[in-house]
């Protein structure tokens, strides 16, 4: 499923309120219970869901399940090669923050009490980065997770959909779905994680220059909701093709 169009004023031809072209491709990994490659413009993330009959130690014997995530960026996902974190012996603070955010977002739309003592792990590997890797990981990670649950007859455990999008103020203009060139010079940068029920999992907002006021927050959230609505539609259309 692909959404998005190009006809406007930004460097890539988009208008201020347009998403980058978003593509969701299922079944890209043979052995994963659910997999999805998501593209937000030139940002590309491979998401794979694994279902295992085990839970973390603190949940053993409690009859409930767990959803977690891991996030990594390939060395040449960026303009200059980055060192693999596995060679450093530990993950960095940014990676830790993002994978906790992805896991938290996905847990918010799964009925863990009915999952049984199972863990669903969603691996998000960034193949190419051009801004918005965490929002792409959440949006595509949900599709991989939902594909796995639907395929294995556990669709009833899905409480809704979750997606994420960035918004920001660049050169005084409010923009949807920032690419790297915009994100790197934004005066205000927000990442919005929301559900199709109109609720939010997380709002991450930062002023890189002058502080922002409440009207600016409202404009940014309103624009984010427009983008989230389009992402929910793309997720639903993609998941409608999953064989139960």
């Amino acid at each position: 499923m692909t959404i998005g169009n190009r006809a406007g004023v930004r460097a890539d031809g988009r208008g201020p309120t347009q998403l980058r072209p978003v593509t969701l491709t299922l079944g890209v990994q043979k052995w994963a219970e659910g997999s999805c490659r998501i593209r937000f413009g030139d940002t590309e993330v491979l998401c794979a869901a694994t279902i295992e009959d085990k839970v973390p130690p603190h949940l053993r014997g409690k009859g409930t399940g767990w959803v977690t995530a891991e996030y990594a960026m390939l060395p040449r996902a960026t303009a200059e090669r980055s060192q693999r974190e596995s060679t450093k012996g530990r993950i960095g603070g940014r990676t830790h923050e993002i994978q906790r955010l992805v896991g938290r977002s996905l847990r918010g739309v799964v009925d863990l009490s009915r999952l049984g003592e199972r863990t669903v792990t969603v691996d998000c590997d960034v193949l190419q980065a051009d801004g918005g890797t965490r929002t792409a990981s959440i949006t595509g990670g949900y599709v991989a997770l939902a594909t796995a649950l639907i395929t294995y007859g556990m669709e009833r455990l899905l409480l809704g959909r979750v997606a994420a999008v960035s918004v920001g103020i660049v050169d005084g203009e409010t923009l949807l779905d920032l690419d790297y060139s915009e994100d790197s010079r934004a005066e205000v940068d927000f990442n919005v994680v929301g559900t199709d029920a109109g609720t939010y999992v997380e709002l991450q907002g930062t002023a890189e220059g002058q502080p922002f006021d409440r009207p600016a927050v409202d404009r940014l959230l309103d624009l984010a909701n427009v983008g989230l609505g389009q992402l929910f539609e793309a997720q639903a259309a993609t998941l409608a093709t999953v064989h139960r």
Side-chain angles (χ1 to χ4, degrees):
M1 175 68 184
T2 301
I3 61 174
N5 49 57
R6 314 166 74 84
V9 296
R10 296 158 78 174
D12 61 3
R14 287 182 292 153
T17 63
Q18 291 178 312
L19 292 169
R20 288 175 285 180
V22 177
T23 302
L24 296 161
T25 305
L26 296 179
V28 293
Q29 286 198 301
K30 178 178 180 178
W31 305 112
E33 281 80 1
S35 63
C36 171
R37 184 174 64 243
I38 182 168
R39 295 194 66 169
F40 270 60
D42 287 335
T43 289
E44 185 172 4
V45 183
L46 174 62
C47 305
T50 301
I51 303 175
E52 297 176 287
D53 290 325
K54 63 180 184 179
V55 291
H58 70 281
L59 292 177
R60 289 174 188 163
K62 296 185 178 180
T64 189
W66 189 243
V67 174
T68 189
E70 293 189 12
Y71 169 95
M73 187 177 292
L74 296 184
R76 283 315 309 263
T78 51
E80 296 181 357
R81 186 184 186 276
S82 58
Q83 185 179 359
R84 294 181 191 272
E85 291 181 326
S86 59
T87 66
K88 300 177 184 179
R90 61 181 178 84
I91 65 171
R94 177 180 180 274
T95 296
H96 187 65
E97 172 205 351
I98 292 176
Q99 64 186 30
R100 288 189 64 189
L101 172 61
V102 177
R104 199 161 54 240
S105 301
L106 299 178
R107 284 194 294 276
V109 292
V110 176
D111 187 347
L112 300 177
S113 66
R114 300 173 63 194
L115 181 58
E117 293 202 359
R118 300 184 181 93
T119 294
V120 184
T121 302
V122 179
D123 290 292
C124 301
D125 291 288
V126 179
L127 307 178
Q128 185 165 276
D130 186 33
T133 62
R134 72 188 65 197
T135 58
S137 294
I138 292 167
T139 305
Y142 171 78
V143 173
L145 168 71
T147 298
L149 293 180
I150 293 169
T151 300
Y152 287 86
M154 293 185 278
E155 182 176 3
R156 67 190 183 283
L157 304 183
L158 294 169
L159 303 176
R161 291 189 291 276
V162 65
V165 72
S166 65
V167 285
I169 300 175
V170 182
D171 297 332
E173 191 164 23
T174 303
L175 302 180
L176 177 66
D177 187 22
L178 278 59
D179 63 20
Y180 178 76
S181 68
E182 295 166 334
D183 180 70
S184 62
R185 59 190 176 88
E187 296 119 55
V188 178
D189 181 22
F190 261 70
N191 290 303
V192 179
V193 185
T195 73
D196 62 341
T199 56
Y200 299 106
V201 175
E202 187 149 316
L203 307 175
Q204 299 176 331
T206 305
E208 301 293 345
Q210 293 295 319
F212 51 88
D213 56 17
R214 176 60 181 271
V217 174
D218 290 340
R219 290 195 302 273
L220 289 165
L221 286 180
D222 287 344
L223 184 55
N225 287 338
V226 172
L228 288 173
Q230 295 177 42
L231 294 174
F232 294 140
E233 290 178 4
Q235 288 175 329
T238 301
L239 292 170
T241 67
V242 175
H243 298 297
R244 291 159 175 79

